[in-house]
Amino acid sequence: MSGPSTYVPKNAAARWLEQRLPILGFAHDSFVAYPTPKNLNYWWTFGAILSFMLVAQIVTGVVLAMHYTANTNLAFNSVEHIMRDVNWGWMIRYLHANGASMFFLAVYIHIARGLYYGSYKAPREVLWILGVVIFLLMMATAFMGYVLPWGQMSFWGATVITNLFSAIPLVGDAITTWLWGGYSVDNPTLNRFFSLHYLLPFMIAAVVGLHVWALHVVGQNNPAGVDIKDVAKDSVPFTPHATMKDALGISVFLMLFAWFAFFVPNYLGHSDNYIEANPLVTPPHIVPEWYFLPFYAILRAIPSKLGGVIFMFGSIAVLFVLPWLDTSRVRSATYRPLYKIFFWLFILCVICLGWLGSQPPEGGAVLAARILTAYYFIHFLVIMPLLGLFETTKPVPASIADAVLAKQAGQAGAAH
Amino acid sequence: MSNVATTTTMPNSAHPEPTRRDMLYLATGAVAAVGAGALAWPFIAQMNPDASTLALSSTEVDIGAIPEGQIVTIKWRGKPVFIRHRTKKEIEEAVNVDVAKLPDPQPDSARVKKPEWLVVIGVCTHLGCIPLGHQGPYDGWFCPCHGSAYDTSGRIRQGPAPRNLVVPDYAFLTPTKIKVG
């Protein structure tokens, strides 16, 4: 954060470097001495879990790129080559493919935690907006990565998603042709997707740098939603407290990751992607990866092509203005009894949308998707602004220390 | 202390006269903007279809060997194109339709160059699936994805698709040879 560094170099070499580039002091202030609220729970370990997953995806991805061939005639076979011939190739590919799912699982929990505890509210608006930018970059990266194995779902998923741009009036077809580099998804498309799939993770890393920077300027939110007032009473140093907690969080998360990667590596994928792409045969039912299903349901719920595209992008764009849509002065849902209910209704709405996105768009599923799409937007555009005006909130503790003491007193009372 | 100097050199300090230096700044900035735009152009244009893709943008097909009643699928610009040699019954079905009642009204005559030959792009106008020929309630095409049914003129008759199957640019080079694109 601000102020002079408390870092004291321990040897002559460190002192020499510190006078020329204060990187050791910067790291010490950011990840050792940095004051973290002492009431953080395990939902706050997902930032570290996500950082770990980004590094894991980059490491496995760089290795896969050494064996993969981005050409429509060779791509599918090069992936099979990785699976069968390359030393440990099967493991690295399964880690990368399931790693994408784990990355999204973690980011959804991370976003939900932000929504529950009001982490997007002043002064954390820029921190939140950078997070939404990272989320969009992740979606673009994941989409292009899924195209690379050049299976049937790769090809037809790419066709459906790039066709969304053709809904733009006047210039839509020209933009789609430009994205494809041809008149359909073909070799030029595959080549550029590979190039961009390699580039975007490093752009994500850069925005993560800004995200962490913004976090360290305004300080972490916490379950009580009140800021650190007295560093000695309200906070603990990042190391060892947050470091150890994050390490445990990552370890437990890795168990889930390993279970998917080693025991059910194809559970989250679609079996049609083990059929090579065929531009003349459409799979009977095109579905995206699970982490895009709620947005796919919104796309299909709107009975107009352009309208569907607008609502789908709008469902993420609305997150950018959330800090100004929420009018409540209380951050944490702990002290907002009504918001707590609406938060869980919203989570339920998104999960149901995800399930509907996996179903064929017929009969009752279409109606249900329309109702839930309406509710998704009502949550942000109507409920959030009004709730802040009408909700009677519980008293907010004066400080983090008070919140911790009140909780301990409550637990002691319950025990006796 | 600088008041005197200001009033002597700048009679109207709220709206200072543009100087030669301002002009130079503007001109330099304009040249730099044009230069940046000129440099950006190739980097954007390189993503458009290249010469080898454009070279394949038309395809010639010998249709002499297609018997009446058969549909042949060819690949054009990476997409399937259906060439259908229609029977008399199929032509009648396509012509004898109240055009005004169709979801995407278009007479059969506007969709063919010769009544016995129908040429359409084989991509469902709903979400891009490939419809199956000689199937569905209208004897034309049926899309297995979401149930859109097309007639023997490739027009949408029922289901979620908004438009008729697209007729590509094509021309008869000889009575038995067409050029698509």
Side-chain angles (χ1 to χ4, degrees), chain A residues 156 159-160 163 174 177-184 186 188 192 279-286 296 300 305 361-362, chain B residues 43-50 53-54 57 73-75 77-81 125-130 144-146 163:
Chain A
W156 290 99
T159 298
V160 168
N163 260 315
T177 302
W178 179 74
L179 287 172
W180 286 339
Y183 302 102
S184 61
D186 211 331
R192 66 190 54 181
L280 298 183
V281 177
T282 315
H285 182 206
I286 302 171
Y296 191 58
R300 295 189 310 183
K305 191 168 163 183
E362 293 157 0
Chain B
F43 284 88
I44 294 166
Q46 55 83 22
M47 280 176 71
N48 266 322
D50 60 28
T53 306
L54 292 171
S57 63
T73 305
I74 60 150
K75 202 171 151 190
R77 292 180 165 185
K79 293 174 188 159
V81 169
T125 56
H126 180 225
L127 284 173
C129 299
I130 295 170
C145 290
H146 305 113
R163 282 175 291 115

Side-chain angles (χ1 to χ4, degrees), chain A residues 84-119:
Chain A
R84 291 151 197 254
D85 302 339
V86 175
N87 302 327
W88 298 98
W90 60 272
M91 185 184 85
I92 294 161
R93 174 166 173 266
Y94 278 153
L95 288 176
H96 194 72
N98 287 283
S101 281
M102 293 298 112
F103 205 162
F104 273 94
L105 175 66
V107 88
Y108 284 132
I109 294 172
H110 192 63
I111 292 170
R113 189 268 287 153
L115 290 174
Y116 187 85
Y117 292 110
S119 298

